[in-house]
Amino acid sequence: MLLLSCSIMKHSSRKVEIIAKASHLFKEKGYSAVTVRDIAQAMGIKAASLYNHIQSKQEILSVLVMDLARTFTDGMNSILVSKGTPLQKIESLIEMHIDITVNQSEALAALNNDWMHMPEDDVVAFVRMREAYEENFRKIIKQGIESGEIKPRHPEVILFSILSTLRTLYLWYQKRGKLDVNVLKRDMVAVLIEGMV
Amino acid sequence: MLLLSCSIMKHSSRKVEIIAKASHLFKEKGYSAVTVRDIAQAMGIKAASLYNHIQSKQEILSVLVMDLARTFTDGMNSILVSKGTPLQKIESLIEMHIDITVNQSEALAALNNDWMHMPEDDVVAFVRMREAYEENFRKIIKQGIESGEIKPRHPEVILFSILSTLRTLYLWYQKRGKLDVNVLKRDMVAVLIEGMV
DNA sequence: ACACAAAACTAACATTTGTTAGTTTGAAAA
DNA sequence: TTTTCAAACTAACAAATGTTAGTTTTGTGT
């Protein structure tokens, strides 16, 4: 799967470096606890120099979060129109989340915890995208229940259980010394779908 | 189940109010983005007046997080020594998490996202407690696998899947208009243990 | 060698931050 | 009534914050 974090040349290479370093700091302490001086120090330059490349601290956050949100939305859309049973689509969604986790674990932290500190407009757009994403996921689960492929349980509980596992996977993927991606996918799909008994 | 958030009279009633209001704000924006003036305003007093009751902003966080961490540790310990199969213990753990979520959803946010902003000593103690908690959980899962009660899957993946679902439950419990606790427990146990197919 | 642009720098700014010191208020105890 | 004390207040602090303005450095193409 191809995961382009931003369209070509939308940002200068230096800007991309800053965003990368910043996202790493954001993951450790959260957006609000990271100062522009922290980011500058990580880059080996002075705080004021950052402003040759970025417009504001908030802009870094917005680029991080909104780019990743679009990645999720695009992924969901292509899975939606793909052929396959609901269960196979859920499998694809799980694999997509794992791919994104492996490639963008830093940005995932910001998306999960710091989206509310973006400028108002982006917050609105973000929440809309997230709701649409969840609604699509919910529909797939309901289809699976209707077709008898999935046990007739509260769809909300299934949705929540899968999504919260996938959304916090980035926390574990770093701690547990980088498990092999394919092994992780296999085990994760098995546990989430077939359960443990 | 009895959930005492702090031992009797360790804090004055006014202090408890402050901690409650603060935890509500922490949940919305995170510890670092909440100022003592925000907390004061929520209390209807001036910022300086807070310091008649608390020692520092950090102290509020520490009380919140460490009290809740002890609650989890105590709960785990009493389940560990209880009689029952590993699977029954896991069921009890799930129910404990749900009880805590319902009663202390605010503090859970701080415990999940803001523990690293406590004073150094508390961070060390906290991480120790969390590691012990996870290790105990892991052992129960492994026992279940050995006894054949649980499918022979990567225990780490099972542990992670259950824990991340339970740890972020507080986010959904507020959004989805307060589901009935007993229904939630039943469905949650079913989905997490038996899976969806 | 020179011009130009990118990207660094220094210095400063207006706010915001957590916190302290000292004072006033109001209600209960004496 | 007077004393007392918790809990509010005002005023101010030093430090930290995001950001701007103006200047110097650095490297590249002519």
Side-chain angles (χ1 to χ4, degrees), chain A residues 82-136:
Chain A
S82 72
K83 55 179 187 244
T85 68
L87 204 54
Q88 286 168 333
K89 286 180 182 171
I90 292 177
E91 236 180 274
S92 299
L93 284 167
I94 294 174
E95 287 172 359
M96 174 184 76
H97 270 267
I98 293 178
D99 280 324
I100 293 179
T101 298
V102 169
N103 293 305
Q104 326 225 34
S105 72
E106 325 270 33
L108 269 167
L111 184 132
N112 276 327
N113 304 317
D114 290 320
W115 55 269
M116 71 287 282
H117 300 116
M118 292 189 298
E120 178 72 12
D121 289 354
D122 286 334
V123 169
V124 171
F126 171 80
V127 170
R128 234 192 281 283
M129 290 171 87
R130 196 182 52 174
E131 277 166 1
Y133 186 87
E134 288 176 7
E135 181 57 25
N136 284 327

Side-chain angles (χ1 to χ4, degrees), chain B residues 1-6 20 23 27 64 68 71-72 95-109 169-170 173-174 178-179 181 184-185:
Chain B
M1 191 187 308
L2 195 55
L3 294 169
L4 272 185
S5 59
C6 56
S23 70
K27 182 162 78 169
L64 268 177
L68 188 51
T71 304
F72 274 113
E95 288 172 358
M96 174 183 76
H97 270 267
I98 293 178
D99 280 325
I100 292 179
T101 298
V102 170
N103 293 306
Q104 326 225 32
S105 73
E106 325 271 35
L108 270 167
L169 180 55
Y170 75 97
Y173 183 70
Q174 57 172 5
K178 309 273 182 188
L179 308 147
V181 182
L184 185 58
K185 279 185 187 174

